[in-house]
Amino acid sequence: MATDPTDDRQPTIRVVARPADTNAGGDIFGGWIMSQVDIAGSIAAYRRAQGRVVTVAVDSLQFHQPVFVGDLISCYADVIRVGRTSITVQVEVFAERDRGGIQHLKVTEARVTYVAIDEARRPRPVPRG
């Protein structure tokens, strides 16, 4: 898993943090970042599962730096484990900000587990390969 957002990887999602996303202290609310992590992770899991998935666990979540209004948030999601019905995704979140020169900062990282489900919302096997 790369840690430099300027390498050849494409982010799974990108979004600008807005004033409506702030907490009482004026920084971006952690729950908003968690939501972006889950969206990015679910996209990677959906692609690998070739269909619908549901979030079953946030195995780890670490906030490294605050996120500010106006930061461009890039979430990079990589499948790191595939079980019979589950998929674990590592998500790294970087903030791009221009405060006297563009900075790329790793602000959050998480490991999230999803389960592939069928039309009846029951676990189904993840296709091989």
Side-chain angles (χ1 to χ4, degrees):
M1 178 135 237
T3 58
D4 183 352
T6 62
D7 65 11
D8 293 334
R9 295 171 49 194
Q10 291 295 315
T12 305
I13 64 168
R14 225 176 219 166
V15 64
V16 174
R18 302 172 326 194
D21 306 319
T22 59
N23 60 25
D27 296 328
I28 297 302
F29 177 54
W32 179 83
I33 297 168
M34 291 171 66
S35 175
Q36 304 311 309
V37 164
D38 193 30
I39 291 167
S42 69
I43 290 169
Y46 180 93
R47 288 176 178 160
R48 179 59 185 82
Q50 300 173 18
R52 190 165 175 206
V53 296
V54 293
T55 309
V56 295
V58 177
D59 304 307
S60 67
L61 177 72
Q62 295 178 330
F63 296 104
H64 300 294
Q65 299 283 331
V67 174
F68 303 113
V69 171
D71 284 354
L72 176 62
I73 303 304
S74 298
C75 298
Y76 297 84
D78 295 296
V79 172
I80 59 170
R81 182 186 165 287
V82 177
R84 191 179 78 74
T85 62
S86 66
I87 299 168
T88 302
V89 179
Q90 181 75 25
V91 181
E92 291 182 310
V93 183
F94 290 85
E96 182 178 320
R97 63 180 60 133
D98 185 359
R99 300 188 188 276
I102 293 180
Q103 299 176 320
H104 292 119
L105 299 170
K106 186 183 212 178
V107 294
T108 306
E109 62 185 315
R111 185 174 308 120
V112 186
T113 300
Y114 301 86
V115 168
I117 60 171
D118 61 18
E119 300 78 28
R121 294 188 171 108
R122 293 201 173 141
R124 66 170 172 83
V126 174
R128 294 285 171 214

